[in-house]
Amino acid sequence: EVQLLESGGGLVQPGGSLRLSCAASGFTFSNHGMSWVRQAPGKGLEWVSGISGSGGTTYYADSVKGRFTISRDNSKNTLYVQMKSLRAEDTAVYYCATHLTMVTTGIHCWGQGTLVTVSS
Amino acid sequence: QSVLTQPPSVSGAPGQRVTISCAGSSSNIGTRYDVHWYQQLPGTAPKVLIYDNTSRPSGVPDRFSGSKSATSASLAITGLQAEDEADYYCQSYDSSLSGVVFGGGTKLTVL
């Protein structure tokens, strides 16, 4: 069974940093592109960032480019996103998601999400 | 403003058929990239409903079906049931943005 477990969310002040992790199991992690997708309170889904199976190619939404860095450790089956210069508008539930194959394909499975609150 | 455009809400009575549209452009749905649909029940993570335009994962009832034509796609739900009340999102990939794109979501109300 495919499982994605996010961790690292919490309360952070504006301008602060946070690193989210996503532990994956139940599939061959390195064979799949991965993404972070967020959902602000009461809003729709917003794709944040993606990474190829090898980790060699990364993708970012304009809203986070230059502030967020996605990475993965295929030896640990873990996906990360390092978030810096956080703003109030980054407040959201952050979901880890695995793609069918490449990031250009559909999402195969979603994690349960971790809440990030940016507030003073 | 979402790259893919969905109606904010649709509704239908139990047993009826509803459709949810998803309008894109030549840089996403209108290219070789497929459309995928997700269902999000209140307070839960999204779930895959339709992938690769028309395919259903195991466990998804055949009351749900997807289609794609030119720069748009549609999700159809037949035999509407109370438990179908949820938010529905379409998704594709955009070559101009080099990123994954979502529709703004459609809230389905079962009357």
Side-chain angles (χ1 to χ4, degrees), chain A residues 39 44 47 59 95 106-107 110-111, chain B residues 36 38 40 45-46 48 89 93 100:
Chain A
Q39 187 169 35
W47 175 78
Y59 310 77
Y95 294 104
I107 289 172
W110 299 73
Chain B
H36 321 282
Y38 308 98
Q40 187 176 34
V48 182
Y89 295 90
Y93 183 85
V100 173

Side-chain angles (χ1 to χ4, degrees), chain A residues 2-7 20-25 27 29 33-39 46-49 51 70-72 77-81 93-99 107-114, chain B residues 45-46:
Chain A
V2 175
Q3 286 196 331
L4 300 171
L5 185 61
E6 302 95 337
S7 61
L20 306 182
S21 301
C22 171
S25 62
F27 64 105
F29 185 65
M34 299 291 295
S35 279
W36 288 98
V37 178
R38 69 185 180 185
Q39 187 169 35
E46 179 191 15
W47 175 78
V48 172
S49 182
I51 188 168
I70 192 171
S71 62
R72 64 191 296 161
N77 288 355
T78 303
L79 175 72
Y80 306 98
V81 63
V93 173
Y94 284 73
Y95 294 104
C96 166
T98 178
H99 291 266
I107 289 172
H108 170 59
C109 187
W110 299 73
Q112 288 307 298
T114 186

Side-chain angles (χ1 to χ4, degrees), chain A residues 30-108:
Chain A
S30 60
N31 285 354
H32 295 262
M34 299 291 295
S35 279
W36 288 98
V37 178
R38 69 185 180 185
Q39 187 169 35
K43 302 297 184 182
L45 301 173
E46 179 191 15
W47 175 78
V48 172
S49 182
I51 188 168
S52 63
S54 67
T57 304
T58 56
Y59 310 77
Y60 296 95
D62 286 344
S63 58
V64 305
K65 203 170 291 183
R67 300 188 300 123
F68 289 15
T69 302
I70 192 171
S71 62
R72 64 191 296 161
D73 185 336
N74 286 346
S75 68
K76 296 182 178 179
N77 288 355
T78 303
L79 175 72
Y80 306 98
V81 63
Q82 177 69 50
M83 307 183 294
K84 64 179 184 180
S85 302
L86 284 162
R87 307 164 179 166
E89 52 265 37
D90 295 318
T91 294
V93 173
Y94 284 73
Y95 294 104
C96 166
T98 178
H99 291 266
L100 290 163
T101 53
M102 300 178 291
V103 171
T104 56
T105 63
I107 289 172
H108 170 59

Side-chain angles (χ1 to χ4, degrees), chain B residues 10-76:
Chain B
V10 297
S11 63
Q16 285 190 332
R17 178 181 187 269
V18 296
T19 62
I20 299 173
S21 60
C22 176
S25 69
S26 59
S27 61
N28 42 68
I29 297 177
T31 65
R32 59 189 171 93
Y33 298 114
D34 294 319
V35 179
H36 321 282
W37 292 89
Y38 308 98
Q39 177 192 60
Q40 187 176 34
L41 298 170
T44 69
K47 162 193 161 184
V48 182
L49 206 58
I50 298 288
Y51 67 96
D52 294 352
N53 306 315
T54 60
S55 299
R56 277 187 315 274
S58 59
V60 174
D62 60 6
R63 301 187 296 105
F64 295 89
S65 63
S67 64
K68 171 184 168 180
S69 178
T71 58
S72 66
S74 289
L75 173 70

